[in-house]
Amino acid sequence: MRMIKSTIHPDIGPRESIEEKSVFKRLATRAIALNGEMILMLYTERYDDYSLPGGGLDSGEDIKAGMIRELKEETGAQNIREIKEFGIYEEFRPWYKPDFDIQHMISYCFTCFVDYDLGQTQLEHYEVNNGMKPKWINIHDAIAHNEQTIASSEKKGMSIERETYLLKLIREEFL
């Protein structure tokens, strides 16, 4: 799978400094489901942002199977088909628990098609508490919304830069 981008959070310092710190590696997936200019996203009220459905892989879980599981759980997506590799987005972020200094997040991104009608979600407790809801939205509107949040919100999460970058790349390559 192609490498889309590798980023280092500014709080970490130069790439060379990563070797001196303890690193927690997290493998994740992201699903890109398009229907024309509409894209299936997760709106999170707590952060006022749109993100691609996906999340962490279970230990030993196949990457594509993990993407399908996360997509179904978070959005209720049905009839997931024509799954294709899109690329890897790698991040080195601060880790705020005492066991590690840095989180090394590797997101495997896939394109797919799903039915426009969504079924029941199986959101985790924290996702419900954060106000996460699946939504089909025009990709241009999702980008504009995230850019506004980046510019004006102090409560934005660390993932919004990744999500907005991926949305712009999806727009460039598919629309």
Side-chain angles (χ1 to χ4, degrees), residues 25-29 88-91 104-108:
K25 189 174 189 176
R26 181 171 187 242
L27 304 179
T29 65
I88 298 169
Y89 191 104
E90 175 184 60
E91 300 165 87
H104 179 198
M105 169 93 82
I106 301 172
S107 295
Y108 297 91

Side-chain angles (χ1 to χ4, degrees), residues 65-77:
M67 186 279 295
I68 293 168
R69 176 185 53 77
E70 285 285 343
L71 182 57
K72 285 180 179 178
E73 288 175 359
E74 292 183 341
T75 69

Side-chain angles (χ1 to χ4, degrees), residues 15-28:
R15 185 172 289 273
E16 301 79 43
S17 69
I18 294 171
E19 296 172 11
E20 303 164 6
K21 298 176 181 172
S22 60
V23 178
F24 168 68
K25 189 174 189 176
R26 181 171 187 242
L27 304 179

Side-chain angles (χ1 to χ4, degrees), residues 107-174:
S107 295
Y108 297 91
C109 305
F110 293 89
T111 61
C112 64
F113 290 95
V114 302
D115 291 351
Y116 198 78
D117 292 329
L118 302 173
Q120 281 292 107
T121 62
Q122 296 174 317
L123 295 171
E124 295 186 41
H125 182 70
Y126 77 92
E127 293 169 329
V128 172
N129 286 345
N130 285 342
M132 187 179 279
K133 292 181 176 42
K135 180 178 180 178
W136 285 99
I137 183 171
N138 181 288
I139 191 168
H140 307 290
D141 294 341
I143 292 167
H145 182 94
N146 278 3
E147 287 177 332
Q148 178 63 35
T149 297
I150 289 169
S152 64
S153 176
E154 293 186 20
K155 65 179 183 174
K156 68 179 182 252
M158 282 195 291
S159 302
I160 192 168
E161 285 87 4
R162 175 192 65 226
E163 301 300 317
T164 307
Y165 179 89
L166 288 170
L167 283 168
K168 289 178 180 179
L169 185 60
I170 293 161
R171 178 181 63 187
E172 178 183 311
E173 293 189 11
F174 292 103

Side-chain angles (χ1 to χ4, degrees), residues 5 11 34 62 73 78 80 98 119 122 134 162 166:
K5 188 171 184 173
D11 291 349
L34 288 169
D62 175 77
E73 288 175 359
Q78 301 177 87
I80 301 167
Q122 296 174 317
R162 175 192 65 226
L166 288 170

